[in-house]
Amino acid sequence: MDAMYQALLAPFIDFAFMQRALAGSLLLSLASCPVGVFLMVRRMSLTGDAMAHGILPGAAAGFLLFGLQIVPMTIGGLIAGMVVALGSGAVARFTVQKEDASMAAFYLISLAVGVLIVSLRGSSVDLMHVLFGTVLALNDAALTLIGLISVVTLVALAIFWRALVAECMDPLFLRSVSKLGTPVHFIFLALVVLNLVGGFQALGTLLSVGLMMLPAAAARFWTVRVEPMCLLATAIGMSSCVSGLLLSYHFSLPSGPAIILSAGVVYLASILIGSRGVLSTRNRPSRHRTA
């Protein structure tokens, strides 16, 4: 029993930095995992990755002007993310180019600009901090920001839940029967950017989308309904945060990658043993019509 306490509970009870890391990562899971489910159902999974890179130049500009300060980096990331989301959408709407191509172009430009800006002032350590985050170094200001983003996300999801589900299933039908179609789409993109900015504080621009998408992708192998998929994705995200932080503590691993790899293990296991996974599909008896 003492060994179990030392392995599972002591790190979070004895060390304040582990408590803050746990609180921040659980709050991120609570908000970003349901957003990831909607991204996946909308077949916009790679959009989340593109927008995660899109916030980098704004966050880097905040870093260039004010150093590693949360407020300016957050405001810069929000502005840059919105510019990428609205810019790529405008290009897709008013030109012949599809949204996936315009999003890819914007995120590649943003990634290059962001890395260049950080390199102008910072060291390789600063660049690693911006790209991969430092969940073990979360302070009270970062926790407050992540908490506010989580509250805003959950309230918005509760208010626009039916419209979001309807747009996932049949966006043309929603636009034909309601004026909420276009506004809901942009509200959803704003939620994606908000959660990526929150994830950026803990996991950096390159890993924040991992906590958003991997639990959602794993949950897809267990259920087809959106509501239980969101709940299951959140549970997977939270358990991945706990296991990743414990692995980081006991084996001196980078905390952010450990969290994402924990979610990746659940995803790979879900592919095999999920109720809609490979093994279940193969073992399911096929039904043949008899004459």
Side-chain angles (χ1 to χ4, degrees):
M1 184 67 92
D2 183 65
M4 184 175 294
Y5 170 82
Q6 292 296 329
L8 301 180
L9 298 179
F12 299 117
I13 293 176
D14 296 341
F15 299 100
F17 72 91
M18 288 291 288
Q19 295 170 9
R20 287 193 293 269
L22 180 63
S25 56
L26 291 181
L27 284 171
L28 281 174
S29 299
L30 189 63
S32 64
C33 291
V35 172
V37 168
F38 281 104
L39 273 174
M40 183 184 59
V41 174
R42 289 163 168 254
R43 298 180 181 179
M44 293 172 61
S45 299
L46 291 179
T47 299
D49 185 53
M51 293 175 68
H53 293 80
I55 70 175
L56 181 57
F63 166 77
L64 184 65
L65 296 174
F66 300 97
L68 292 172
Q69 299 294 321
I70 289 176
V71 174
M73 291 180 71
T74 298
I75 293 174
L78 282 172
I79 294 173
M82 292 300 180
V83 168
V84 169
L86 296 177
S88 60
V91 170
R93 185 175 292 263
F94 298 112
T95 71
V96 296
Q97 193 168 62
K98 299 295 184 181
E99 188 168 10
D100 59 339
S102 62
M103 183 70 75
F106 271 82
Y107 108 75
L108 288 170
I109 295 170
S110 298
L111 180 61
V113 171
V115 172
L116 182 63
I117 291 174
V118 175
S119 302
L120 288 177
R121 172 174 172 175
S123 64
S124 58
V125 175
D126 295 322
L127 181 59
M128 292 292 287
H129 172 86
V130 172
L131 293 178
F132 297 103
T134 51
V135 66
L136 295 180
L138 289 177
N139 54 26
D140 293 338
L143 283 178
T144 301
L145 173 67
I146 293 172
L148 287 174
I149 289 174
S150 299
V151 170
V152 169
T153 300
L154 293 176
V155 170
L157 288 176
I159 293 174
F160 298 104
W161 180 267
R162 294 184 64 182
L164 286 168
V165 173
E167 197 198 13
C168 288
M169 303 307 173
D170 194 341
L172 294 178
F173 173 76
L174 178 63
R175 292 174 189 173
S176 66
V177 300
S178 173
K179 295 181 180 180
L180 286 176
T182 300
V184 162
H185 180 71
F186 286 105
I187 289 171
F188 175 70
L189 289 179
L191 291 179
V192 174
V193 173
L194 268 178
N195 281 274
L196 289 174
V197 169
F200 159 78
Q201 303 296 335
L203 301 172
T205 57
L206 297 185
L207 294 180
S208 58
V209 71
L211 188 60
M212 183 178 288
M213 295 310 309
L214 280 172
R220 188 70 180 267
F221 287 101
W222 296 94
T223 181
V224 295
R225 296 180 56 206
V226 176
E227 294 89 344
M229 198 181 300
C230 288
L231 293 175
L232 181 57
T234 302
I236 293 172
M238 288 182 169
S239 61
S240 299
C241 291
V242 173
S243 59
L245 289 173
L246 289 174
L247 287 172
S248 172
Y249 175 82
H250 289 296
F251 299 101
S252 300
L253 300 174
S255 51
I259 290 173
I260 302 306
L261 285 176
S262 297
V265 169
V266 178
Y267 170 72
L268 294 175
S270 299
I271 292 176
L272 294 176
I273 64 174
S275 58
R276 303 178 69 240
V278 174
L279 297 180
S280 297
T281 303
R282 286 191 174 184
N283 294 333
R284 191 173 299 158
S286 58
R287 298 179 180 178
H288 299 281
R289 291 185 179 181
T290 56

